[in-house]
Amino acid sequence: MAKELQGTEGRVFEEYLSEDDIKGIVSEVAQRITADYEGRNPLFICVLNGAYIYAADLYRAIPIRSEITFVRLKSYEGTSTTGHVELVTPLREDIKGRDVVLIEDIVDTGTTMHYFKQMLCEMGAKSVAVTAFLFKPEALLYPDAEPEYVGKSIPRKFVLGYGLDYDGYGRNIPAVYALKD
Ligand code: IMP
């Protein structure tokens, strides 16, 4: 029987990816990134809060010369065409001419990655690629936000665990659980 978790208001989550599944996924993505970025001194940018656990596992499995930094982003509904995403914590690293790899927990509509990639290109990055542990292709609104390095594509389900939260909770669950229909 599938492992289940009880959420608030009668919601039930069932195990979707086990810890072993996650290990396999992370190791595959790490190998692809290692092969593509060897000798390029990439700068990894982990998008907090959700991606910190994926970033910790992924980064330790990429044995190349590189740096990692962390940002917090705030998304907002704006009327400005350049807006929608704002840096809550400033980026101290000079990204001019750098190959940047963004580490995201999940790409859903792609709004966050679309605007953040645009911002980094305007700041002078040489290239910007995205790795997302999970990707919901059916929800994507911005084609340029499709991650180059996807751990696993999933249907439009709400998921939690492995850094992903449900109203702030559940990030510490080592496996990924999906909301049952
Ligand atoms: P996007 O800008 O629509 O792609 O949304 C990306 C952000 O939404 C992620 O970084 C998550 O914080 C959050 N998110 C989207 N789907 C889920 C989910 O199923 N579980 C938890 N957080 C999610």
Side-chain angles (χ1 to χ4, degrees), residues 40-57:
R40 293 169 66 183
N41 186 24
L43 173 66
F44 291 88
I45 302 181
C46 168
V47 181
L48 296 171
N49 293 334
Y52 76 106
I53 291 179
Y54 175 48
D57 287 345

Side-chain angles (χ1 to χ4, degrees), residues 104-113 136 157-160 164-165:
E104 239 313 25
D105 52 356
I106 187 164
V107 169
D108 185 32
T109 65
T111 310
T112 316
M113 285 302 100
K136 297 182 192 170
K157 287 170 176 285
F158 187 84
V159 285
L160 90 166
L164 290 148
D165 74 309

Side-chain angles (χ1 to χ4, degrees), residues 16 106-111 134-143 145-147 150 152-158 181:
Y16 188 68
I106 187 164
V107 169
D108 185 32
T109 65
T111 310
L134 298 175
F135 173 43
K136 297 182 192 170
E138 291 157 11
L140 192 69
L141 295 178
Y142 297 92
E146 180 170 345
V150 173
K152 188 173 171 65
S153 292
I154 63 166
R156 255 183 138 160
K157 287 170 176 285
F158 187 84
D181 302 321

